[in-house]
Amino acid sequence: MTQVRLIVAVTAAAITAAALLLGGVVRNSPTVDSAQPAAAASPASSLALGDTAALVRRLQFQLRGKPSAQAYAALGLAYEQLARETGDPGYYSKADGVLRRSLALTPRNAVAVGALGSLALSRHRFRDALWLGRKARELTPQEVRNYGVVGDALVELGRYREAFATFDTMAREKPGLSAYSRISYARELLGDIPGSIRAMELAVDTATGRPESMAWTHVQLGKLYWATGRLAPARREFTTALSVFPGYVYGLDALAQVEAARGHLRHAIGLEMQAVNEVPLPQFVSLLGDLYRLNGQPGLAAKQYGLIGVIRRLLAANGVKTDLETALFQVDHGIRLRQTLVLARLAQRERPSIDGDDVLAWALARNGRCDEALRYSRLGLRLETRDALKYFHRGMIERCLGHEAAARVWFGRALALNPHFSVLWAPVARRALQ
Amino acid sequence: MTSFQTRRTALYAGLALVAAFTALLALRSASAPEAARAASHREAPLIALDPTADISDFFFFRSYEPGKADKVDLIMNVIPGEEPSSGPNYWNFDPSVTYALNVDNDRDGVANDVRFEFHFQNEIRGIVRDAKLPLSYVGGITGVPPITDFDSVGFGLRQHYTVTMFHGKEHKGQVLASGLVAAPSNVGPRTMPNYDSLAAQGIYDLGNGMKVFAGQRDDPFYIDLGATFDSLNFRRTPPILSTVEDSNDNINPYGVDQLSGFNVHSIALEVPASLLTSDGQGADATAQPKLGAYAETERPKVTVASEKDPAKDREHGKDVQVQRLANPLVNEAIIGTIDKDLWNRLDPENESRFLDYYETPRLALALQLATGVPAAVSNRDDLVNLLLKYAPTDQRLSELLRLDVSVPPTPLASQRRMTALATPADPAGWPNGRRPKDDVTDIAVRVVGGINYIAARASDGVNTNDVALPSQFPFIASPHDGRNRVHGN
Amino acid sequence: MKRAALVLALLAALAAPVAASAHPLGNFTINRFSRIESAGHRAYVLYVLDMAEIPTYQAGTIDAGAYAERLAAGARLQLDGRRVTLVPVANALAHPKGAGGLHTTRLEVLLRGPKIDHTARLAYADTNYAGRIGWQEIVVGEQTRSESNELRAYPKNLLQSPLDVSSVTGELHPAGGSPPKLTTGKALQAPDRIADAGFSSLIGREHLSALVILASLAAAFFWGMAHALSPGHGKTIVAAYLVGRRGTPWHAAALGAIVTATHTIGVFALGLVTLALSQFIVPDQLYPWLNLASGVLVVAIGATVFRSRFRQRRPHAHDHHHHDHEAPSRGSLLAVGISGGLLPCPSALVVLLAAISLHRVAFGMLLIVGFSAGLALSITGIGLVAVFAKQIFKRASFEGRLVRLLPAASALVILAAGLAMTARALPKVS
């Protein structure tokens, strides 16, 4: 009888493992229809460039008549682009749905898998994105897009060397908007701002004809200028972005920061409110609150801060508990610091990038755990990124540890890099240096 | 507890843990409607299309402009599918791209004998710059006269370009011209009331018999795109033309030209044939009249580690080839999807690794499956000879568009879209070079399909472009304007 | 004690609420609907505003009258080319529950237009909240169907982008009758936002009143009973096993219960695993492997039973008198029960997945339990039949070779069934 029990116990445990491992992975269906001429990708979708909505309508119409894995995958990609352009996250859910349908029709469908990878990135599921990107790369090693998915995931997981190698491959195989913008980001992370600007200028050139791409690249370029305190060129880039894509929320938010730095507080508030009314991302709402506070309107500020709480509750209701951005907001505004520290730890574990390290360092510092904070701050600056906010956090940590001289050095560095690096904290740094 | 009970407890525990674990896993990753997510990580675009480096067509022919038979024209079209009404920035060449035309004149299959490079630069000027207007072009309103020439105050985004010629392996070429202006997008009748005369100012005579033009044009390619790429779902069954229909080059018997109403950007170069031939002789006199050519786009290669010298980031010495085009429809219809990106990165003379695609063309099989008519699906040495060789005895396989300049040009009025397959045959078109009028879709369908398809006069049903072709340089019609554009279907 | 804790943990994990977002179009949409109609020879516009959680919070306390005035100003109606004034004459405001314990807003406003006595050309543009993400729908006519049921239920169609109709042209025919009425009472809470046709409407009912729950449970129970009679639920194995192992009625009941429990757990586990894996792997591909595993397990059990039967037949005189000692032990009961109920049937799985997708997980699980209980009853019944049949034979009290061989034969039946299951599952797995 012992044998039977043993068999049962072992088999029961093995069944789950087997089902998980073997179910679905072994299937070997053909990916490419050898009898078909060129895939739909090139000619059909290059019609009416810059008009994603029209492409979406066309694919929807096509699919209602005849479902096909290729068309579903293409629609998934189009939905993802539409989500970028409209800011409506409902399109992510739709993308998810059609991509699953595509996979149901053709399981080893590289386009769909790759598209799910970029979708995972948008949802901040970086480990999933890495897995999916790698899988897609296995299926079609020549598709350069998947290198982008893999590389982006690696960056957010703090694996920079691998990420940069991936970006190099991308730029070597297919120089263009996707590759140049990533090379620019990599250079920025490594503290090479001039190099970052050069690469983003290349990206700006390649974005011709696509309003969202043009707006995005101009905003990124502007942010590089902004990060190094060059207000006028930053403003120029943000205004260009808004002229190409009126109402582009990232442009509005970025321009608001510039206007605040120039002392045009009311104008800044107007711009930021526009952004919030269009897409209330936590960082927009937070900045709007800070601007109200600066403008001596604490009641309105409190309302915005309350909105962040609402957003956090909604994220939690959607099963998202480890949001780095809301953690940072709570740390910055001294909200339930002990709980926020727990949140920050979770967020950092989820996203062990230098940003995750830095936010955790800041959370630790605000909780008085400055030794541990120092460790994470060092991690956050391990790439020698030129980031005024990270310098400032380090300054506060040094001060907390009693290293006054070192603190002043760091505050000085932050202000030298970008005197307006934060509506809340630049004044604090300035006061510390007086 | 007895050993049995221990084991049973273990079993319970195991099952419970498994179930709990999977429950948590599922809850974490259950798909739910999205809430606003902060995009603090970069979320850079992951675009697969790259329109400004996307070559849609390459034409290579002896000039059929009256009195210009000693000239050869090379035209590359880029940025396909330009929607004419795409304001406020419309369409422009890409300053980061090197647009190039490469010629092989010694029959070795390597097009490194003569090369022309085009580089563009952007300039914001005039009232657009001074008043910081959010537009590229403005005119015909109070205070701003319409744009009638390249110095008009409303001509905001102006692109200059340089033409450089290289011989053989030289690194430093000869600058043929610089500071030329690209003809802008056709915005509309108020901003640009006489677009044709504006664009005509973009036709430059460089001396030495050379002419160049760069700017927006109508897309001269005609094809029932949707039907063709919907698995050859042509609009007539079987998709064949009658003799009368086949000899009428001005109608669309059953297809819809789904590229109608769209524009492209063209770079057109006209040079004396003697500039291209290996012995420097004219078209009728040269001892080696068979030339091969292809168009390509390149971009600078960058790495995460910057160059020490900032200028080197944009240096074109180490450019990466992004796309190439020689014979039409090779990338679309012959090379398999899985290899397209790789194919674009390689040079034409490395075509032997793609030999199987030519010997066993998938398009032939697809035609056979779609129509039921037997096609020549294998052992297509004829295609290899046609597309990859100057003569059957050639060893090297090179995908070049080959032009025999000793064949006299056919005047536009007498040109036949089916070239060598027409009755009477017109020997001056594809695959002997390529002219805008040539119906490469029908020719490809018939030649790749085989004798049955040639005999049956298979076709996509579209015989002509929506706009008439001009008979002089740059040989491609004026673009549709943004305000009044109409798409045929 | 430990076991109880484990079981509780299991139940807690399974019962934890799956993320529910009541506003399917996103938490910061402002959705707008207009119905242009005629009544009492006047033009009316019924305007509905549906704000998701975030804009509701941002709005704070809503002065319905003020909102109505603003909406009226933004609703631009032209009749026969001339702009007409729309006056708000009635409004209804409610704050249905949304996600995260927050509320959404539903505001209905009746806008009254001028008298019309002939069919007029109309042009209508809704400029309220222009540029804001959200569903925008306009219909003309009292009877015209609204795709969203006037913003009560947004269709979940993957091949359709949210409507963004902000202007229409058409004709307005004068009609008599009383003015349109606004929604009142509970209906204003518009709970059923998710419109799905078909089977899932069983679960997606608006109100889960006690009556509805009981009725659904009863339905599930009977369905489970009937389902047990469909092939593939280990009945053969169960019956054969009980005969072979000299089962008593208690064993039959216990076996039924074990099968049910396994079945239920199996459905839950597979459902959740499927959800998790369905991101990457097509769920249908799991089934062949589970079938195979089930078959292999049954073969193993049959072989063991057969071997022990066979061993028993070795010459030991006193064995003939000890049939009754071969009552099935709990362990072997468990093994057979598990293998019998291991493969959850697809229909139960569908019920569970539908329940999860409609955010009615607890209810779905309740249905599954009811279903499984019905299943148990049927299988127990069959087991009892087998037990009593054997007892009938026993009373006949012949101790011929036939009786002695019966247990071994039943072991063979189990073995054969297991081999058949395995053989059937193998080709599907490759």
Side-chain angles (χ1 to χ4, degrees):
Chain A
M1 272 323 295
T2 327
Q3 287 168 318
V4 180
R5 276 179 237 138
L6 209 54
I7 291 171
V8 167
V10 168
T11 317
I15 280 169
T16 323
L20 282 170
L21 282 175
L22 298 169
V25 179
V26 194
R27 180 72 68 87
N28 210 350
S29 41
T31 44
V32 177
D33 304 304
S34 46
Q36 299 292 354
S42 180
S45 53
S46 61
L47 287 183
L49 284 169
D51 193 351
T52 315
L55 176 62
V56 163
R57 278 195 297 274
R58 201 153 0 107
L59 285 168
Q60 286 171 337
F61 178 73
Q62 189 183 323
L63 282 163
R64 273 179 234 135
K66 184 171 83 167
S68 87
Q70 271 174 341
Y72 274 126
L75 184 56
L77 283 170
Y79 277 149
E80 285 181 43
Q81 177 62 18
L82 209 52
R84 288 177 70 92
E85 290 174 9
T86 63
D88 184 346
Y91 283 113
Y92 287 131
S93 304
K94 283 193 195 280
D96 190 82
V98 294
L99 289 171
R100 304 256 183 110
R101 282 197 191 169
S102 179
L103 278 180
L105 290 175
T106 306
R108 285 163 78 81
N109 173 348
V111 179
V113 175
L116 278 174
S118 46
L119 191 58
L121 283 175
S122 306
R123 290 165 155 178
H124 291 199
R125 298 188 191 151
F126 301 112
R127 287 173 221 277
D128 293 352
L130 182 59
W131 188 87
L132 286 163
R134 282 196 168 139
K135 187 148 187 249
R137 203 168 55 177
E138 260 170 54
L139 291 171
T140 45
Q142 305 91 330
E143 178 54 64
V144 181
R145 184 182 189 272
N146 299 321
Y147 285 89
V149 175
V150 169
D152 287 355
L154 287 168
V155 164
E156 298 304 324
L157 294 171
R159 292 156 66 167
Y160 293 104
R161 217 157 35 91
E162 291 169 73
F164 296 164
T166 309
F167 293 155
D168 273 342
T169 307
M170 230 183 142
R172 189 183 60 233
E173 300 291 294
K174 196 165 182 179
L177 176 57
S178 309
Y180 288 151
S181 53
R182 285 166 173 78
I183 294 282
S184 170
Y185 186 31
R187 288 176 176 179
E188 186 190 343
L189 288 169
L190 290 170
D192 176 11
I193 302 288
S196 182
I197 288 175
R198 284 196 306 275
M200 192 53 77
E201 282 172 342
L202 280 172
V204 165
D205 286 338
T206 65
T208 299
R210 290 183 301 240
E212 193 266 331
S213 301
M214 289 197 284
W216 188 88
T217 46
H218 279 291
V219 167
Q220 295 309 311
L221 187 53
K223 288 194 166 174
L224 287 169
Y225 289 125
W226 162 257
T228 46
R230 283 180 271 180
L231 283 186
R235 185 157 171 272
R236 188 190 63 218
E237 294 301 326
F238 299 145
T239 335
T240 310
L242 286 167
S243 70
V244 181
F245 191 147
Y248 186 53
V249 283
Y250 296 101
L252 290 167
D253 168 65
L255 190 58
Q257 285 181 289
V258 169
E259 291 303 302
R262 289 170 83 213
H264 306 157
L265 212 46
R266 283 244 302 268
H267 188 24
I269 288 175
L271 289 164
E272 196 67 49
M273 230 174 28
Q274 249 187 288
V276 168
N277 283 338
E278 228 182 278
V279 182
L281 295 178
Q283 67 257 39
F284 298 166
V285 176
S286 167
L287 181 60
L288 182 56
D290 294 342
L291 289 173
Y292 276 132
R293 214 164 89 169
L294 200 62
N295 201 31
Q297 295 171 289
L300 290 172
K303 194 108 198 284
Q304 297 308 317
Y305 297 151
L307 182 55
I308 303 256
V310 164
I311 292 173
R312 212 180 35 75
R313 274 158 76 180
L314 289 167
L315 286 173
N318 275 312
V320 176
K321 283 183 226 126
T322 60
D323 195 70
L324 195 66
E325 287 72 27
T326 47
L328 178 60
F329 167 79
Q330 287 179 204
V331 176
D332 272 341
H333 296 88
I335 297 171
R336 286 194 296 270
L337 285 173
R338 280 238 314 260
Q339 280 170 298
T340 306
L341 178 55
V342 175
L343 191 64
R345 280 197 202 274
L346 280 173
Q348 189 273 348
R349 204 169 308 155
E350 184 75 6
R351 208 202 287 195
S353 63
I354 55 174
D355 291 322
D357 295 331
D358 181 60
V359 169
L360 179 54
W362 187 218
L364 285 161
R366 296 269 278 179
N367 274 282
R369 314 242 198 121
C370 295
D371 283 303
E372 202 185 348
L374 183 62
R375 194 157 59 83
Y376 278 103
S377 172
R378 287 207 173 110
L379 278 175
L381 285 165
R382 66 184 183 268
L383 296 176
E384 292 176 24
T385 319
R386 301 182 66 206
D387 183 334
L389 198 55
K390 291 192 173 65
Y391 292 167
F392 170 75
H393 291 158
R394 175 61 161 275
M396 296 294 275
I397 292 167
E398 297 286 4
R399 194 160 80 166
C400 163
L401 290 170
H403 308 152
E404 280 300 331
R408 290 172 70 90
V409 166
W410 284 104
F411 290 144
R413 270 195 196 146
L415 290 166
L417 189 58
N418 182 5
H420 314 281
F421 66 87
S422 162
V423 165
L424 279 182
W425 301 112
V428 173
R430 263 193 288 275
R431 276 201 301 275
L433 285 181
Q434 276 157 8
Chain B
M1 273 207 296
T2 66
S3 67
F4 163 73
Q5 283 172 313
T6 323
R7 270 185 249 268
R8 194 174 51 178
T9 314
L11 178 61
Y12 281 139
L15 285 174
L17 281 172
V18 165
F21 174 78
T22 52
L24 290 170
L25 186 70
L27 290 177
R28 254 207 55 195
S29 47
S31 69
E34 306 293 326
R37 289 313 307 273
S40 87
H41 84 275
R42 224 23 93 84
E43 288 210 70
L46 278 168
I47 314 274
L49 298 176
D50 188 2
T52 56
D54 189 357
I55 311 172
S56 63
D57 287 295
F58 173 53
F59 301 103
F60 186 34
F61 53 90
R62 233 176 114 173
S63 174
Y64 45 84
E65 191 175 337
K68 298 277 169 61
D70 61 326
K71 308 274 194 282
V72 171
D73 291 278
L74 304 102
I75 305 177
M76 73 185 285
N77 285 350
V78 295
I79 318 178
E82 289 182 10
E83 168 52 53
S85 56
S86 292
N89 290 81
Y90 297 93
W91 304 97
N92 294 287
F93 293 103
D94 184 337
S96 76
V97 171
T98 302
Y99 299 91
L101 300 160
N102 301 299
V103 180
D104 170 33
N105 62 16
D106 54 10
R107 286 185 65 152
D108 66 349
V110 183
N112 59 356
D113 299 313
V114 188
R115 173 182 166 93
F116 301 93
E117 280 187 8
F118 301 81
H119 295 110
F120 293 82
Q121 257 182 304
N122 283 354
E123 177 199 4
I124 310 279
R125 57 176 290 284
I127 196 163
V128 168
R129 185 195 62 200
D130 297 337
K132 296 201 176 47
L133 296 178
L135 303 163
S136 290
Y137 314 104
V138 61
I141 56 175
T142 320
V144 186
I147 300 176
T148 50
D149 60 59
F150 292 159
D151 289 320
S152 292
V153 70
F155 191 161
L157 175 62
R158 196 167 67 178
Q159 288 198 306
H160 294 275
Y161 64 100
T162 311
V163 187
T164 315
M165 182 169 78
F166 297 78
H167 278 109
K169 291 199 174 61
E170 53 187 34
H171 276 293
K172 204 164 151 36
Q174 174 197 354
V175 174
L176 296 177
S178 69
L180 307 180
V181 176
S185 301
N186 187 351
V187 174
R190 172 174 282 177
T191 318
M192 299 164 177
N194 191 346
Y195 181 83
D196 283 347
S197 85
L198 175 66
Q201 297 169 48
I203 300 175
Y204 292 96
D205 194 326
L206 304 181
N208 299 334
M210 291 196 274
K211 272 194 183 162
V212 69
F213 169 85
Q216 195 184 52
R217 295 279 96 187
D218 165 59
D219 190 341
F221 194 48
Y222 52 93
I223 182 177
D224 191 340
L225 195 66
T228 308
F229 290 96
D230 178 23
S231 309
L232 305 172
N233 186 9
F234 297 123
R235 297 176 206 267
R236 180 190 284 180
T237 313
I240 61 179
L241 300 173
S242 67
T243 328
V244 170
E245 288 169 334
D246 201 28
S247 55
N248 188 341
D249 290 351
N250 299 313
I251 53 166
N252 292 336
Y254 55 83
V256 177
D257 177 12
Q258 293 187 315
L259 289 179
S260 79
F262 288 103
N263 293 331
V264 286
H265 263 57
S266 290
I267 297 173
L269 181 70
E270 183 173 271
V271 296
S274 52
L275 195 63
L276 299 178
T277 53
S278 50
D279 55 10
Q281 296 298 313
D284 297 315
T286 181
Q288 207 301 85
K290 293 207 176 151
L291 308 175
Y294 73 104
E296 63 159 329
T297 49
E298 296 177 344
R299 279 224 170 85
K301 179 178 127 172
V302 290
T303 52
V304 173
S306 278
E307 295 287 335
K308 295 252 179 351
D309 175 3
K312 287 203 168 170
D313 253 354
R314 286 243 189 190
E315 197 181 75
H316 294 287
K318 50 183 189 72
D319 275 2
V320 173
Q321 182 173 298
V322 177
Q323 262 209 26
R324 62 158 158 130
L325 186 67
N327 283 292
L329 298 173
V330 166
N331 194 353
E332 286 82 354
I334 294 196
I335 306 297
T337 315
I338 204 166
D339 280 324
K340 281 185 203 300
D341 275 354
L342 177 65
W343 184 89
N344 266 315
R345 289 201 289 277
L346 294 173
D347 283 339
E349 62 266 19
N350 298 311
E351 207 68 2
S352 50
R353 68 191 288 164
F354 303 106
L355 181 59
D356 177 61
Y357 286 121
Y358 294 89
E359 286 285 355
T360 320
R362 302 341 184 226
L363 175 61
L365 184 60
L367 284 165
Q368 187 169 283
L369 290 173
T371 64
V373 176
V377 298
S378 58
N379 297 325
R380 299 301 302 270
D381 290 338
D382 63 315
L383 288 180
V384 175
N385 291 338
L386 196 63
L387 299 169
L388 306 182
K389 292 183 179 180
Y390 291 100
T393 49
D394 281 2
Q395 288 302 329
R396 174 178 273 147
L397 301 178
S398 181
E399 204 274 295
L400 294 172
L401 183 58
R402 291 170 172 80
L403 173 67
D404 184 340
V405 295
S406 65
V407 173
T410 311
L412 181 61
S414 324
Q415 285 182 7
R416 305 305 307 283
R417 80 178 210 287
M418 292 306 294
T419 68
L421 291 175
T423 319
D426 174 3
W430 192 55
N432 181 16
R434 182 189 170 195
R435 306 165 304 197
K437 181 151 181 94
D438 302 341
D439 190 343
V440 298
T441 314
D442 283 0
I443 296 172
V445 164
R446 293 183 202 184
V447 169
V448 175
I451 46 173
N452 292 338
Y453 290 78
I454 297 174
R457 294 179 298 277
S459 166
D460 69 329
V462 176
N463 289 359
T464 179
N465 191 33
D466 55 325
V467 178
L469 294 167
S471 57
Q472 70 268 26
F473 185 83
F475 299 103
I476 304 185
S478 250
H480 304 269
D481 84 64
R483 183 186 186 276
N484 299 322
R485 102 284 182 273
V486 171
H487 294 292
N489 58 317
Chain C
M1 193 50 217
K2 261 193 282 187
R3 217 180 308 149
L6 276 168
V7 171
L8 274 176
L10 166 62
L11 284 175
L14 291 176
V18 175
S21 172
H23 207 295
L25 285 196
N27 306 116
F28 53 89
T29 51
I30 294 185
N31 308 287
R32 295 140 271 170
F33 172 85
S34 302
R35 182 186 292 279
I36 308 162
E37 55 186 299
S38 168
H41 294 279
R42 268 187 185 279
Y44 284 95
V45 174
L46 172 65
Y47 197 99
V48 183
L49 185 73
D50 168 22
M51 302 206 294
E53 290 84 344
I54 291 179
T56 300
Y57 173 84
Q58 287 177 309
T61 323
I62 291 180
D63 174 354
Y67 265 69
E69 297 282 343
R70 267 218 315 270
L71 292 171
R76 312 254 169 95
L77 178 62
Q78 278 188 357
L79 291 173
D80 287 332
R82 276 191 358 266
R83 174 92 189 267
V84 301
T85 324
L86 292 169
V87 176
V89 294
N91 62 65
L93 176 67
H95 291 292
K97 278 223 194 76
L102 300 154
H103 287 271
T104 64
T105 302
R106 182 180 178 85
L107 173 64
E108 297 188 9
V109 180
L110 183 62
L111 302 170
R112 193 177 65 190
K115 281 201 181 295
I116 52 169
D117 53 8
H118 64 280
T119 302
R121 257 185 318 117
L122 82 85
Y124 176 78
D126 179 6
T127 62
N128 291 305
Y129 300 104
R132 190 61 187 261
I133 296 164
W135 184 278
Q136 272 196 285
E137 188 181 359
I138 304 174
V139 301
V140 179
E142 194 202 340
Q143 301 295 340
T144 316
R145 184 181 156 272
S146 156
E147 267 189 67
S148 64
N149 191 13
E150 298 181 355
L151 303 187
R152 291 188 186 85
Y154 299 97
K156 282 197 328 184
N157 186 345
L158 290 174
L159 293 182
Q160 193 187 328
S161 303
L163 278 188
D164 61 353
V165 177
S166 56
S167 64
V168 295
T169 54
E171 284 185 339
L172 189 60
H173 309 285
S178 50
K181 288 212 169 30
L182 300 178
T183 321
T184 52
K186 282 242 184 85
L188 198 57
Q189 296 286 331
D192 190 9
R193 278 207 154 107
I194 304 161
D196 267 340
F199 167 63
S200 44
S201 59
L202 174 72
I203 297 190
R205 300 182 63 80
E206 289 188 20
H207 301 289
L208 287 184
S209 65
L211 196 60
V212 170
I213 292 176
L214 279 174
S216 307
L217 210 55
F221 184 78
F222 285 111
W223 186 29
M225 275 186 71
H227 200 69
L229 301 172
S230 66
H233 277 281
K235 295 178 296 299
T236 328
I237 300 158
V238 166
Y241 181 76
L242 282 174
V243 170
R245 298 300 259 172
R246 320 277 201 253
T248 66
W250 184 86
H251 290 127
L255 193 55
I258 291 167
V259 169
T260 303
T262 314
H263 190 265
T264 309
I265 291 175
V267 172
F268 289 165
L270 185 59
L272 295 167
V273 167
T274 303
L275 270 186
L277 293 179
S278 64
Q279 293 184 30
F280 321 122
I281 302 169
V282 182
D284 305 318
Q285 296 174 7
L286 287 170
Y287 274 102
W289 290 98
L290 283 171
N291 272 332
L292 185 63
S294 246
V296 165
L297 190 60
V298 173
V299 168
I301 289 169
T304 316
V305 170
F306 186 71
R307 218 172 113 231
S308 59
R309 289 285 98 228
F310 188 64
R311 251 196 316 201
Q312 269 218 321
R313 288 179 73 253
R314 280 206 301 269
H316 275 311
H318 64 279
D319 275 5
H320 291 279
H321 307 294
H322 290 278
H323 299 272
D324 292 336
H325 289 188
E326 298 311 318
S329 71
R330 266 176 280 182
S332 47
L333 254 187
L334 199 64
V336 178
I338 287 175
S339 72
L342 187 65
L343 186 64
C345 44
S347 0
L349 194 59
V350 167
V351 169
L352 181 69
L353 290 179
I356 290 177
S357 76
L358 292 170
H359 313 296
R360 294 280 169 81
V361 185
F363 183 46
M365 287 177 167
L366 206 58
L367 287 181
I368 301 278
V369 172
F371 179 95
S372 301
L375 193 67
L377 202 63
S378 287
I379 291 185
T380 306
I382 293 165
L384 284 172
V385 166
V387 166
F388 287 131
K390 172 212 71 185
Q391 293 196 340
I392 286 169
F393 275 123
K394 209 164 135 200
R395 254 188 268 119
S397 86
F398 48 77
E399 292 185 342
R401 244 182 345 164
L402 204 61
V403 174
R404 262 181 298 152
L405 278 178
L406 206 53
S410 70
L412 271 176
V413 171
I414 295 178
L415 198 59
L419 285 170
M421 280 169 74
T422 310
R424 227 172 18 117
L426 266 177
K428 297 219 172 81
V429 153
S430 50

